[in-house]
Amino acid sequence: YWQETNDDVKTKATVTATPTAACILVAACMHRDTVNIEGDGWTKLIESEIKDDVQQRMTVWYKAIEAVQTTVTVNQASNARMSLKCFALYNAAVLSVVDNAVSTDGNFLPTQTTGKCRLYLLDSVYATGSNNAISASYQNIDLRSAEETSFSAWYDYQPEQHATPTFSTTVTDYTANTAGMLTIDIEEE
C-alpha cells in the first residue's frame, strides 16, 4: 500500500504506487466534498454513507494495471479534509462491497468473513489529538494496516483462518454517525 501521511484540508491528493506485478490497483479517498479521480480506466466501486453534518465519506475506485509506477490523483471540489490511500491487490479478479455502514455507538462488527481476502476501510469525523481515531481487535489473523489519524485500512490476506475482526473508535464521548466502515471482499483469480 501507499498513503498520504496526513488528512489535512486540501483540494488535491496524490499518491505514487509502485506495484511489483500486474494487479488491481485500488484508490480509496476520505473526503468532505465531491471528488473525481484523474486518468482513464478507473471504475468507481462505492461511495460510502455520509457521516455527520460535515458530509465526510469514502470513495473507492479500482483498475487493472501492469507492474508500472502509477501516480494517482484525486481532486476535491473545495478545500476540505481529505486523505488518499492506494492498494495493490495481486491475483485479484473481482471486488465486491459487503458492508457500507455508519456507527451509532462507535463500534463496528463487519459481516462474518466469507472465506475471501478482505479490505476494511474506516474513517472518523473526529479524532482525539494526534491518536488514530479507529482501532482494530482480532485474533488468529495477521491484519496488515495503513493507519492515520482519521482514515485507516486493514487488509486480511488469511481467509483460511475464518476470523472476522471488530473495530471501534478511540474518540472520547463518541457522537453517533461520525464514523464509517466499508468492507470489501476480494475474489482471487
Side-chain angles (χ1 to χ4, degrees), residues 113 116-120 141 143 154-159 163 165:
T113 183
K116 297 177 180 150
C117 292
R118 273 196 171 167
L119 185 60
Y120 299 97
I141 51 176
L143 289 181
W154 283 266
Y155 174 60
D156 177 4
Y157 64 94
Q158 297 177 307

Side-chain angles (χ1 to χ4, degrees), residues 2 8 10 24 34 39 42 44 52 56 89 91-92 112-113 121 125-126 148 152 155 165 167 175:
W2 303 267
D8 58 354
K10 56 192 151 223
I24 290 181
T34 57
W42 290 101
K44 184 176 178 179
D52 202 28
Q56 184 168 299
L89 302 178
N91 301 316
Q112 268 313 103
T113 183
L121 302 169
V125 170
Y126 303 107
E148 66 174 289
S152 294
Y155 174 60
F167 302 93
T175 301

Side-chain angles (χ1 to χ4, degrees), residues 111-185:
T111 300
Q112 268 313 103
T113 183
T114 58
K116 297 177 180 150
C117 292
R118 273 196 171 167
L119 185 60
Y120 299 97
L121 302 169
L122 292 101
D123 73 327
S124 176
V125 170
Y126 303 107
T128 305
S130 61
N131 297 326
N132 290 343
I134 306 289
S135 66
S137 178
Y138 51 92
Q139 294 179 344
N140 304 322
I141 51 176
D142 178 27
L143 289 181
R144 300 300 167 104
S145 65
E147 300 176 68
E148 66 174 289
T149 310
S150 295
F151 181 39
S152 294
W154 283 266
Y155 174 60
D156 177 4
Y157 64 94
Q158 297 177 307
E160 68 279 1
Q161 299 297 328
H162 300 287
T164 304
T166 59
F167 302 93
S168 61
T169 63
T170 60
V171 177
T172 307
D173 299 323
Y174 177 75
T175 301
N177 304 319
T178 59
M181 176 185 69
L182 292 173
T183 304
I184 299 170
D185 269 359

Side-chain angles (χ1 to χ4, degrees), residues 71-94:
T71 299
V72 179
T73 300
V74 175
N75 297 296
Q76 184 167 224
S78 66
N79 203 28
R81 190 165 305 281
M82 178 185 199
S83 184
L84 178 63
K85 299 178 186 313
C86 292
F87 308 91
L89 302 178
Y90 302 104
N91 301 316
V94 177

Side-chain angles (χ1 to χ4, degrees), residues 51-71:
K51 269 80 62 199
D52 202 28
D53 60 352
V54 297
Q55 303 295 303
Q56 184 168 299
R57 59 228 186 242
M58 297 174 281
T59 300
V60 179
W61 301 267
Y62 66 93
K63 73 175 176 177
I65 65 168
E66 297 300 319
V68 60
Q69 184 173 349
T70 303
T71 299

